[in-house]
Structure formats: C-alpha cells, structure tokens
Amino acid sequence: MLGGANTHRQWTRPVGLTDVLRSAVAEIDQYARVKLVPPIDGTVSGHAVVDVVHLLAELLENATVFSPPQTTVHVRVEPVAAGVAIEVEDRGLGMSAAERNQMNTVLGAPDKVALGELLQDGRIGLYVVSVLAKRHDIAVQLQSNVYGGTQAVMVLPTALLGPQPAAPAPEHPAVASPDAVPRDPVEPEATDPPATGVTVVEDPLVSDPERQPAPMPSDGDDDRPRLPQRRRDHAAEQPRPVPGAGSSEDIAHDPGLMAAFQTGLRRAEEAETP
C-alpha cells in the first residue's frame, strides 16, 4: 500500500454499505467497542470495496487506540449532496488544533508529508488513509466533537456508489375483466326414474274410459231393437300387475285351491254317471 501498488482483489458487483462497515469492523482488534448506528443505506461499487474497507478499518483502529477502553466508537451513515458521508466518532483524548491541522494536511496532500516523521510519531495509519482516499477521490477530514474526542468524516463521491436496489412493486389485487360475466350454475337434467320389475298389461276386453264407443249405423226409421251394449266395470278398469321374470314379488300360494278343484271335478263326474 505504501509503495503505491493496487490490490488484485475486486468485486464484480456492488456491495451494501452494511457489509462494507462490518468487514471494516472485523479487521480491528477491539471490534466489540464499535457500534453501527442505523439506518445504513446505499452500496459501493465493486472495484472500490476493498480499498474502502481498508480505509475505514484504519480510521476505526485510530479511534479505538486513542480513546479509553471503556468508551464506545460510533459509526453513522448519512446521505449528502456529494454522495454518502460516513462518520467515525470517539470519546477519547482528542487532539490540539495545531496537531489536527497537521493531520488534515496529511489527509489532503500525502505527497507533501515526510513519511519518516509519521513513522516516528506512530500515526502511519493516517498516511495509508490519505493514499487510499486520493486513489478514489474520497474526502477525509478530522474535527473535534463536544465530547472532547475526535470525529473522522469521510465522504464517498456519487461516482463511487453503486445503484440503489429496486423497491419491490406493490401487489395489486386481481381485477376481473369486464367481459367475464358470472354464469349461473348448470342444473343437472332430470332423468326418468328407473323402470321397476312390475309390468302392466292392458286387458283387451276392458274399454278405455276415455275412449267413447263408436256409434252404430242407423238406416233411418229402423224398428229393430238396439243390440245390448257392455257396461263398463270400474273394478276391472284398474290395471292388474303381471309378475315378470325379474319381479321381486312372489305370488301367494293357496293350499286349499287344488283341493277345491279336485272336489268340484269329482262331483261333476258323479253327476254325469247314470
């Protein structure tokens, strides 16, 4: 990094700022003291992810080293007109105005700083930050806060940010088309009841009650008496069921019927015998 070489590790797609910040926190020793303050929105282009993670890790390392171990380092993300601002704030020892101006000069123009003096001072991490910031046009500045500590602000330019994730489309209820007309349920067609085994046979001797007898032809003044006509027997008009082969009803058997027949036959024979 100090020699100006570029890293060969690059992402091919944008990475969310939440993952970038977590990766930076994981690179320092006192990671448990760092607190990420939500919300954290936005993404970073894949080619700059590794350098941004390393830059943030250096700022977090300085904030944890130069502050009391019982304090917490807060990290906030806020969108600004120039891009996205990331604030690393500690509640440590702080710096004097002269020392803070010197460090801001290192961050703004690393080529004009004597590297040997920084190595003796032990703050070489800020020089690494300045090199990475100059490579991607990232603005980094140190300032004091009301807690007496130091607040490091870095602004990622818009060109370094990846596309925003598309918001999910709202779900609309399905709208029925105007052509769709509800139809009445189709009722099943009535079917004839199944035929039973009882068969009705019409008696040819019994006339139909609806059928009128045909009129007899008359030859004018005929004095001959009219022929007798058969009267309808209403009892005989009732249909008489004839049991078929498949009938389930059995004809009742009369045991005295045969005996009465034989008795009548025997009496007839006796009457004919002289």
Side-chain angles (χ1 to χ4, degrees):
M1 185 65 63
L2 296 179
N6 294 328
T7 177
H8 296 285
R9 297 180 301 168
Q10 292 184 356
W11 292 80
T12 58
R13 57 181 179 81
V15 179
L17 268 175
T18 303
D19 297 333
V20 172
L21 294 179
R22 288 177 178 175
S23 299
V25 173
E27 290 190 1
I28 66 175
D29 294 335
Q30 303 181 37
Y31 59 89
R33 294 175 52 195
V34 180
K35 180 180 179 181
L36 303 180
V37 181
I40 302 176
D41 300 325
T43 57
V44 180
S45 299
H47 70 279
V49 169
V50 176
D51 291 343
V52 172
V53 169
H54 195 176
L55 191 157
L56 282 171
E58 292 292 344
L59 295 178
L60 293 172
E61 182 72 20
N62 288 339
T64 55
V65 170
F66 294 97
S67 62
Q70 70 273 10
T71 60
T72 303
V73 177
H74 295 82
V75 180
R76 298 180 178 86
V77 178
E78 183 179 358
V80 295
V84 173
I86 301 176
E87 301 176 358
V88 180
E89 184 179 57
D90 64 64
R91 302 180 181 181
L93 304 177
M95 293 185 291
S96 62
E99 188 178 10
R100 186 168 55 253
N101 291 335
Q102 181 183 1
M103 292 297 102
N104 285 332
T105 302
V106 173
L107 294 173
D111 299 337
K112 300 179 180 180
V113 177
L115 186 56
E117 295 179 2
L118 292 177
L119 290 175
Q120 293 177 0
D121 194 19
R123 295 189 177 182
I124 192 64
L126 292 180
Y127 180 79
V128 175
V129 171
S130 64
V131 173
L132 296 175
K134 183 179 179 180
R135 180 182 299 175
H136 298 286
D137 295 331
I138 301 174
V140 183
Q141 187 176 0
L142 302 179
Q143 58 189 20
S144 61
N145 55 24
V146 295
Y147 305 105
T150 303
Q151 183 182 21
V153 182
M154 58 177 294
V155 179
L156 301 178
T158 306
L160 206 62
L161 302 178
Q164 295 293 337
E171 298 181 358
H172 298 282
V175 179
S177 59
D179 298 336
V181 179
R183 300 180 178 178
D184 297 334
V186 179
E187 298 182 358
E189 297 181 357
T191 57
D192 297 334
T196 59
V198 180
T199 305
V200 179
V201 179
E202 184 179 359
D203 190 355
L205 301 179
V206 180
S207 60
D208 190 356
E210 299 296 335
R211 188 181 306 169
Q212 298 296 334
M216 299 297 294
S218 60
D219 297 335
D221 297 337
D222 192 358
D223 296 336
R224 291 179 298 179
R226 299 178 61 88
L227 296 177
Q229 297 180 0
R230 180 180 298 177
R231 295 182 179 180
R232 292 182 297 179
D233 189 359
H234 295 284
E237 291 179 0
Q238 300 296 331
R240 292 175 295 176
V242 178
S247 176
S248 59
E249 299 180 359
D250 296 335
I251 301 176
H253 177 66
D254 190 359
L257 182 60
M258 190 62 182
F261 175 75
Q262 293 178 356
T263 302
L265 182 60
R266 184 171 59 254
R267 289 179 180 179
E269 292 178 353
E270 292 176 356
E272 292 178 357
T273 301

